[in-house]
Amino acid sequence: MATDVILKDVNKVYPNGFHAVYDFNIEIEKGEFIVMAGPSGCGKSTTLRMIAGLEEISSGDLIINGKRVNDVAPKDRDIAMVFQNYALYAHMSVYHNMAFSLTIRKVDPAEIHKRVMQAAEILGLVPYLNRKPKELSGGQRQRVACGRAIVRDPVVFLLDEPLSNLDAKLRGTMRKELMNLHDRLNATFIYVTHDQIEALTLASRIVVMNEGYVQQIATPKEMFDNPENLFVAGFIGTPPMNFANGKISEDGKYFEHMSGNKLKLTQHQTEILKTYRGKQVVMASRSEYIGIDEASLTSNPESTFEIEVDYTEYLGAYTLIYGLYGGENVIAKVYTREPIAKMDKVKACFDMEKIHFFDIETTKRIR
Ligand code: ATP
């Protein structure tokens, strides 16, 4: 597959001296759906804006479609951007909003009409072509914003939190529409969001950033199953991973939680934790890998612990138990219909095969 976009050691230092992005490296294949995610201020919009040409690149190379474009004007970069606030022209009809960028590029009117009608068809906007933006719903406006990008027929679509102004239900619908759109266009999408659910549902690969640094680049599944470090483990997944502090026993066979509770490690864990005997580590488990039912407890007799229940959330198909594991917060996602009262103590167990350990100094997953 052809590589569409390459960022090589890209850095951004703003004129006031603030270093917003450090050594960003990625090679994006044609047709990928890349989602850049991370908390507010982590540098994801800055990175997108550098790709768009709206921010200067302080150092490093940006290559789009085989050409270094650091110094190429935004309009000549073969990209189209969809913004969070849509940025539609209020006085223009839907048709003219979509046609505008082609008109100013002096594209042949017959070609403009063809491309606008094609985009309107793809986006289900044909009945609305004569309306003004204020006569549309939020979702329809968002589609017009996408339409303006589609008519440009760019190599790369850049989307900056395009769904953040929509209510939760519409966001769900638009997520599906964006996935369909991506499939139909077979173009490269680079999408920025602070919402890890959007990242998990949309991305072919996710880039998680924090404080200007790329933390991990991986498929949603890989990132969910094997987070690279404690930051990613806490960022991806709802609820986030549970963390427990303790040390590896001198014989390397147990994780000794700070509360004194002991968990038997698997053979593989004993092996990879060889150099950590007697040392502090952080253990991490997903809520879904904690069991409280008889079958789980019977098959994991050496990895049991007690949850001091704070409160529970009954969510129909499952229940979330919020509580403490030896003084540390823990959330368990369990499939039980029995009521679990506040302050109950519940016997639980970890599925040790699914547990990760992290180095306390580097915060990296031990493997
Ligand atoms: P958000 O989700 O809030 O939009 P973000 O991850 O997109 O966050 P950026 O907008 O990329 O974050 O900003 C990254 C950092 O760079 C922030 O700390 C921000 O304050 C800083 N920053 C952004 N623009 C400038 C600027 N023009 N001058 C100096 N610092 C800036």
Side-chain angles (χ1 to χ4, degrees):
M1 245 201 259
T3 310
D4 252 1
V5 181
I6 300 174
L7 279 83
K8 200 161 173 288
D9 299 327
V10 167
N11 281 265
K12 176 67 187 180
V13 183
Y14 279 109
N16 69 354
F18 184 75
H19 202 147
V21 176
Y22 293 84
D23 297 329
F24 197 119
N25 282 292
I26 192 171
E27 293 195 4
I28 301 173
E29 305 287 341
K30 181 170 169 44
E32 274 203 90
F33 198 136
I34 296 289
V35 177
M36 292 202 282
S40 182
C42 69
K44 51 197 188 297
S45 293
T46 300
T47 306
L48 196 76
R49 292 169 61 79
M50 285 193 283
I51 300 171
L54 303 173
E55 273 315 331
E56 205 179 309
I57 295 170
S58 308
S59 68
D61 299 313
L62 170 65
I63 293 149
I64 297 179
N65 219 5
K67 200 170 99 186
R68 187 178 186 272
V69 294
N70 289 47
D71 304 316
V72 172
K75 67 176 177 45
D76 301 323
R77 277 191 189 192
D78 249 347
I79 47 116
M81 191 145 171
V82 181
F83 293 97
Q84 168 179 148
N85 56 10
Y86 324 136
L88 300 181
Y89 302 110
H91 62 287
M92 286 185 197
S93 66
V94 167
Y95 184 98
H96 289 293
N97 259 286
M98 292 204 276
F100 185 71
S101 69
L102 301 179
T103 310
I104 57 167
R105 281 178 176 78
K106 302 204 167 28
V107 176
D108 174 58
E111 176 66 18
I112 295 178
H113 183 70
K114 192 177 115 202
R115 289 207 217 164
V116 169
M117 292 313 291
Q118 261 172 359
E121 202 71 56
I122 290 172
L123 295 161
L125 286 172
V126 176
Y128 309 103
L129 287 172
N130 292 320
R131 291 206 197 168
K132 299 272 167 60
K134 69 170 190 297
E135 298 162 329
L136 299 174
S137 71
Q140 289 162 343
R141 276 180 224 163
Q142 190 47 265
R143 278 190 247 154
V144 180
C146 290
R148 293 202 315 186
I150 292 172
V151 295
R152 301 263 316 275
D153 193 21
V155 171
V156 185
F157 286 80
L158 305 175
L159 302 104
D160 193 358
E161 305 232 16
L163 307 187
S164 62
N165 288 338
L166 306 178
D167 65 47
K169 185 156 177 268
L170 193 50
R171 269 212 301 274
T173 315
M174 285 301 294
R175 271 210 300 268
K176 209 164 83 210
E177 285 192 13
L178 277 175
M179 275 191 265
N180 290 340
L181 184 62
H182 176 255
D183 287 348
R184 289 187 71 161
L185 297 173
N186 196 24
T188 305
F189 278 32
I190 306 177
Y191 184 104
V192 160
T193 182
H194 60 268
D195 180 344
Q196 53 91 25
I197 307 233
E198 268 175 31
L200 285 170
T201 50
L202 291 171
S204 56
R205 280 192 297 163
I206 304 173
V207 180
V208 171
M209 294 184 76
N210 188 37
E211 294 183 352
Y213 289 93
V214 170
Q215 302 291 312
Q216 186 171 5
I217 301 178
T219 62
K221 183 177 184 321
E222 176 65 11
M223 206 164 271
F224 187 83
D225 290 343
N226 296 313
E228 194 66 33
N229 58 37
L230 284 171
F231 179 82
V232 177
F235 183 75
I236 292 285
T238 316
M241 271 191 157
N242 295 303
F243 298 134
N245 282 279
K247 65 180 177 66
I248 302 304
S249 63
E250 294 293 347
D251 66 4
K253 291 189 174 149
Y254 292 88
F255 169 74
E256 296 172 352
H257 186 241
M258 60 183 204
S259 63
N261 181 243
K262 279 176 150 192
L263 307 170
K264 179 90 188 286
L265 302 175
T266 65
Q267 218 159 17
H268 175 67
Q269 287 162 345
T270 295
E271 192 61 33
I272 60 171
L273 290 162
K274 235 182 202 153
T275 56
Y276 288 86
R277 292 183 181 181
K279 289 193 187 150
Q280 295 286 323
V281 291
V282 179
M283 182 194 106
S285 79
R286 292 239 171 253
S287 303
E288 36 279 83
Y289 301 136
I290 296 175
I292 62 167
D293 56 293
E294 250 346 284
S296 304
L297 291 167
T298 311
S299 42
N300 297 288
E302 292 189 285
S303 61
T304 61
F305 67 106
E306 204 169 61
I307 305 177
E308 204 172 309
V309 180
D310 183 10
Y311 65 99
T312 59
E313 278 177 358
Y314 172 70
L315 291 162
Y318 58 88
T319 298
L320 290 179
I321 305 175
Y322 293 80
L324 293 175
Y325 164 32
E328 293 191 285
N329 289 324
V330 67
I331 306 171
K333 183 175 180 179
V334 298
Y335 300 86
T336 174
R337 300 204 161 244
E338 300 294 316
I340 300 155
K342 183 168 160 53
M343 295 315 288
D344 259 355
K345 286 196 162 83
V346 175
K347 189 171 180 193
C349 62
F350 291 108
D351 178 353
M352 291 306 282
E353 300 277 348
K354 302 282 171 47
I355 297 293
H356 292 302
F357 292 91
F358 292 85
D359 185 297
I360 240 163
E361 309 262 301
T362 65
T363 81
K364 289 207 163 109
R365 182 162 52 86
I366 302 165
R367 43 182 169 163

